[in-house]
Amino acid sequence: MAFIKYFPAQPKIDFLSKRKLFLAFSAFLLIGSLVSLAVQGLNFGVDFRGGILIEVRTNGPADLPDLRSRLNNLDIGGVTLQEFGAPTDVLINVQRQEGAEAEQLAVIELVKAELGDVVAEYRRTEFVGPKVGDELRQAGILATVLALTAIGLYIWFRFEWQFAVAALIALVHDVVATIGFFSVLQIEFNLATLAAVLTIAGYSINDTVVVFDRVREMLRRFKKMAITDLLNLALNLTLSRTLLTSVTTLLALIALYVFGGEVIRGFTSGLIWGVLIGTYSSIALAVPLLYYTGVRRDNLAASDASEEEAVEDAS
């Protein structure tokens, strides 16, 4: 409440004078993300890389070295274990076995037989073949590219090409920075986290469209105001709405992160980062990019004239 009470109704922050600083920070994020992706890549989950995943709850606090030693003695290939929330919860990843479904089920039964005296509950068991994992990766990349393209076309149709270019660059920035976030922290990247990336794209473009709509309104209203002053005015008029929307969303996401458990923690952590980076790009990146694309009142005047001619023809 204090934030809402003391936030100025009409802030006068000169965002455009700091545009080079914002662009430098965004370039740092993008380069860091791309370097991390090139060096260590993504920590793909079973959805994308194939393999066997078993989530167990042990009778007491899990002894990971003992569990690892037991499973390594089974000669079933690479095995990784990690605590999954509570000290009694363990996530076991086993590389995919040669053969079909029968061979995968046989390994699952072998693991269960070996850990029978220490495991109280098998909470989840999944296995995915490498072909399915490759298909899911390709489908995920295609879904992301198509979503970004459709959003860019919508902005072009809704506004003008300068707005579409600025919005699309800012959107790609948000997506790459979010994927880089998963790469840097090596958070498991699976279908749920891919959904988080696409959700972030929709959230970010919503904020950007609100700001762009106010920019267009200002361009039509103030015929002699300098472009930098006009863009600053549009940003400041939408600033409280943008920040309060983001803060409200973050409160819900933080609650999900803290109380939602390990199963959705990767998803919620990605969304939290995405909301932060999307809010930043809508304020500090999209509009400065709009300035560099050379948006002018002449473009809007031509668009308005075309709309008026269409109305006259229809009547």
Side-chain angles (χ1 to χ4, degrees), residues 216-249:
R216 185 169 61 175
E217 178 187 338
M218 297 296 102
L219 285 169
R220 287 170 171 165
R221 181 181 299 179
F222 300 104
K223 303 299 184 182
K224 296 183 179 180
M225 183 181 292
I227 289 294
T228 53
D229 294 336
L230 187 146
L231 295 177
N232 275 323
L233 177 61
L235 277 170
N236 282 288
L237 288 174
T238 55
L239 186 61
S240 60
R241 180 265 181 202
T242 300
L243 293 180
L244 291 174
T245 300
S246 298
V247 169
T248 304
T249 306

Side-chain angles (χ1 to χ4, degrees), residues 1-312:
M1 292 299 294
F3 174 77
I4 298 174
K5 181 179 180 180
Y6 293 109
F7 191 86
Q10 293 185 342
K12 297 181 180 179
I13 303 172
D14 188 359
F15 290 100
L16 269 292
S17 67
K18 303 174 180 63
R19 60 184 180 273
K20 292 183 179 179
L21 180 63
F22 294 140
L23 291 174
F25 177 70
S26 294
F28 169 77
L29 282 178
L30 290 177
I31 293 171
S33 297
L34 294 174
V35 168
S36 179
L37 286 168
V39 172
Q40 60 183 6
L42 289 167
N43 177 24
F44 286 116
V46 172
D47 295 337
F48 292 128
R49 60 177 167 77
I52 300 169
L53 182 148
I54 305 172
E55 182 185 344
V56 303
R57 171 162 289 173
T58 56
N59 292 315
D63 185 349
L64 292 185
D66 177 62
L67 294 177
R68 188 175 293 110
S69 175
R70 288 182 177 219
L71 296 178
N72 286 337
N73 290 334
L74 296 178
D75 193 25
I76 55 177
V79 178
T80 60
L81 294 89
Q82 65 183 92
E83 284 191 0
F84 196 68
T88 57
D89 295 340
V90 178
L91 196 64
I92 303 170
N93 281 278
V94 182
Q95 73 175 51
R96 186 184 182 277
Q97 308 298 301
E98 294 294 331
E101 180 178 344
E103 284 71 21
Q104 316 309 315
L105 293 174
V107 167
I108 293 173
E109 293 303 319
L110 193 61
V111 170
K112 288 183 176 181
E114 178 63 33
L115 303 181
D117 59 331
V118 296
V119 172
E121 177 187 359
Y122 289 90
R123 308 186 70 190
R124 179 168 46 133
T125 303
E126 302 173 4
F127 66 86
V128 177
K131 183 177 180 180
V132 175
D134 289 340
E135 291 174 353
L136 289 174
R137 273 202 301 271
Q138 294 170 9
I141 293 170
L142 181 62
T144 304
V145 171
L146 289 178
L148 295 179
T149 303
I151 289 171
L153 291 174
Y154 166 74
I155 299 298
W156 194 339
F157 175 78
R158 180 72 172 78
F159 296 93
E160 287 74 36
W161 70 265
Q162 294 95 336
F163 292 86
V165 170
L168 197 55
I169 293 174
L171 200 55
V172 170
H173 163 273
D174 296 345
V175 170
V176 172
T178 302
I179 295 175
F181 168 80
F182 285 103
S183 175
V184 170
L185 298 183
Q186 285 295 286
I187 298 172
E188 184 178 296
F189 195 86
N190 51 35
L191 287 175
T193 49
L194 177 61
V197 172
L198 295 177
T199 302
I200 289 159
Y203 182 92
S204 175
I205 201 64
N206 179 65
D207 273 350
T208 302
V209 165
V210 170
V211 178
F212 278 4
D213 200 49
R214 186 56 62 92
V215 169
R216 185 169 61 175
E217 178 187 338
M218 297 296 102
L219 285 169
R220 287 170 171 165
R221 181 181 299 179
F222 300 104
K223 303 299 184 182
K224 296 183 179 180
M225 183 181 292
I227 289 294
T228 53
D229 294 336
L230 187 146
L231 295 177
N232 275 323
L233 177 61
L235 277 170
N236 282 288
L237 288 174
T238 55
L239 186 61
S240 60
R241 180 265 181 202
T242 300
L243 293 180
L244 291 174
T245 300
S246 298
V247 169
T248 304
T249 306
L250 284 172
L251 290 175
L253 290 175
I254 290 170
L256 277 176
Y257 181 84
V258 174
F259 302 110
E262 285 290 333
V263 174
I264 63 169
R265 187 149 293 167
F267 174 79
T268 52
S269 62
L271 282 178
I272 289 171
W273 168 258
V275 168
L276 291 172
I277 206 68
T279 303
Y280 158 79
S281 72
S282 296
I283 296 171
L285 183 61
V287 174
L289 286 172
L290 189 59
Y291 171 81
Y292 284 114
T293 60
V295 66
R296 295 289 182 269
R297 295 178 179 85
D298 298 341
N299 305 114
L300 293 176
S303 176
D304 291 344
S306 299
E307 291 176 4
E308 290 175 2
E309 290 174 3
V311 171
E312 290 176 359

